[in-house]
Amino acid sequence: MAPGSGGSGTGGREEAAPDGAGGRDSPSRDAAAGTSDSEDCLVIMARATVYVGCTVPQLLRGAQSRIFPSDSALGVLRRSAFCYCTENSTIKSKRKMDHLERTANNFRQEVITQAKVCGITNESETVKRLRLAIANKDFTFKAGQWVDFFIPGVSVVGGFSICSSPSLLKREGILELAVKHTVHPPAHWIHTECTLGSEVALRVGDLHGYQEGKGNRHKLGTVKLYYSAKTTSELLFKKNILGLMKAFPGKITCCFHVTQQRSQICEELQPHVAEGRISEKDLEKHVSNDTSWYICGPPPMIESISKLLANIGVPRNCVFFEKWW
């Protein structure tokens, strides 16, 4: 599976997930696994689970209860963003839709809350991690969900995967995002104008329609993660992933793929790194009747991996992906 962007996380665990870089709004500059290099992409395979990856008017500002987009903003909500591979579905990239259009039919919490930027760090040369202090104590989320990201003065609403755990929010009132630098207005604002103390507003959304008290009902077996990027410096959350592998030996494994690595790879990563794109040879050994496949990455990568999986006999109803852009 791929980071990224949203797919989000390692089998629904609460550890920081490599899937929020750029979130729902990152444009796909490079394709993965077949056409050109992917910025970040992941493929996850597991016994039961495999991951492959690689305009809203200005907010009404003031008290928490009055931070809402205008009625005209809500009027653009039209289409669903979750693509589930079925026999009748197609996976073609058409015109680029706004985040709110793509996710119009998806579940959203009613709560919109103010948040203040309390930390900004560079996860890589192109990705910033944003640490947000949440004002509303009723604000909650589940692993794998995203936030609508409202910026005062910016007409476009962002959509970013949450890369921190629900337990961090519960303990410290903190939520984190990892956002890739792009020309898309919300991501561009984060990289060029956002500062400590900047105020935004957030609303939680969910591709899968999880309601309070309901889970995804998938039992996690073993998980195999294929994670591709140009260089090891662009492999976000690699320390977290290595930590999970150590904590759950034999249950969670990862192969990092790099396509343009020029510098020496650190000793800790070396046993887990392969050069080149994720290939059919990598994936075909995991084909079985009880394996689910999750893909996360830019659209060309999703299309390429989906075709690859079809070629090696993976049923369409065992393949899941998010296609945002």
Side-chain angles (χ1 to χ4, degrees), residues 4 9 30 42 52 57-58 71 81 102 127 168 174 183 187 206 252 259 262 290 297 318-319:
D30 297 322
L42 245 93
V52 182
Q58 182 172 344
D71 292 339
R102 282 193 174 275
V127 175
L168 179 64
I174 297 295
V183 297
D206 195 317
I252 298 176
T259 58
R262 299 291 181 266
D290 59 351
C318 292
V319 180

Side-chain angles (χ1 to χ4, degrees), residues 60-78:
L60 302 176
R61 305 192 60 192
Q64 291 169 197
S65 60
R66 292 187 285 117
I67 305 265
F68 290 96
S70 69
D71 292 339
S72 61
L74 299 178
V76 302
L77 303 180
R78 287 197 287 275

Side-chain angles (χ1 to χ4, degrees), residues 29-50:
R29 291 192 290 218
D30 297 322
T35 49
S36 57
D37 294 329
S38 169
E39 297 271 333
D40 315 297
C41 61
L42 245 93
V43 178
I44 304 175
M45 290 112 88
R47 272 306 162 191
T49 314
V50 177

Side-chain angles (χ1 to χ4, degrees), residues 37-307:
D37 294 329
S38 169
E39 297 271 333
D40 315 297
C41 61
L42 245 93
V43 178
I44 304 175
M45 290 112 88
R47 272 306 162 191
T49 314
V50 177
Y51 301 92
V52 182
C54 7
T55 77
V56 177
Q58 182 172 344
L59 293 176
L60 302 176
R61 305 192 60 192
Q64 291 169 197
S65 60
R66 292 187 285 117
I67 305 265
F68 290 96
S70 69
D71 292 339
S72 61
L74 299 178
V76 302
L77 303 180
R78 287 197 287 275
R79 296 187 61 177
S80 170
F82 182 57
C83 296
Y84 172 48
C85 294
T86 65
E87 297 201 52
N88 296 323
S89 68
T90 58
I91 324 171
K92 293 185 178 179
S93 298
K94 297 184 179 178
R95 78 169 180 85
K96 191 172 180 180
M97 285 192 293
D98 177 83
H99 163 67
L100 293 183
E101 286 184 285
R102 282 193 174 275
T103 60
N105 296 330
N106 291 111
F107 167 77
R108 278 178 165 81
Q109 291 184 4
E110 294 183 4
V111 176
I112 297 180
T113 186
Q114 270 189 307
K116 183 176 289 189
V117 177
C118 60
I120 306 173
T121 56
N122 293 323
E123 281 295 321
S124 73
E125 293 180 358
T126 61
V127 175
K128 286 188 181 292
R129 185 193 287 225
L130 212 59
R131 191 172 173 88
L132 299 165
I134 305 302
N136 192 331
K137 300 302 181 183
D138 295 326
F139 182 91
T140 62
F141 74 93
K142 294 181 181 295
Q145 293 181 320
W146 83 82
V147 289
D148 295 332
F149 194 83
F150 302 96
I151 305 166
V154 177
S155 63
V156 180
V157 175
F160 300 113
S161 299
I162 302 167
C163 69
S164 57
S165 68
S167 60
L168 179 64
L169 177 64
K170 186 175 182 179
R171 290 194 314 269
E172 303 178 26
I174 297 295
L175 177 148
E176 295 182 335
L177 307 174
V179 181
K180 197 172 196 64
H181 188 196
T182 73
V183 297
H184 191 267
H188 184 72
W189 178 86
I190 288 170
H191 279 261
T192 61
E193 298 183 45
C194 180
T195 61
L196 293 178
S198 292
E199 293 185 0
V200 296
L202 308 175
R203 175 177 57 191
V204 171
D206 195 317
L207 283 174
H208 311 286
Y210 296 160
Q211 304 287 339
E212 286 298 319
K214 295 182 180 179
N216 61 9
R217 298 177 184 172
H218 288 292
K219 183 178 180 180
L220 180 64
T222 59
V223 173
K224 176 70 177 183
L225 171 66
Y226 285 87
Y227 183 177
S228 176
K230 289 181 178 179
T231 66
T232 55
S233 65
E234 288 293 318
L235 293 168
L236 307 183
F237 308 112
K238 48 187 174 286
K239 290 184 179 180
N240 300 71
I241 295 171
L242 291 173
L244 285 172
M245 292 167 62
K246 291 178 181 178
F248 301 95
K251 294 283 284 183
I252 298 176
T253 57
C254 179
C255 181
F256 298 102
H257 283 250
V258 291
T259 58
Q260 297 182 25
Q261 185 77 18
R262 299 291 181 266
S263 60
Q264 186 173 356
I265 297 170
C266 72
E267 185 175 345
E268 186 180 23
L269 273 181
Q270 280 180 358
H272 310 290
V273 173
E275 292 190 10
R277 301 184 182 96
I278 300 166
S279 69
E280 182 174 313
K281 185 177 179 180
D282 295 316
L283 305 184
E284 62 185 0
K285 57 186 135 182
H286 302 287
V287 176
S288 71
N289 292 332
D290 59 351
T291 297
S292 296
W293 302 73
Y294 295 86
I295 312 172
C296 183
M301 175 267 178
I302 291 176
E303 292 168 11
S304 176
I305 293 291
S306 296
K307 290 176 183 177

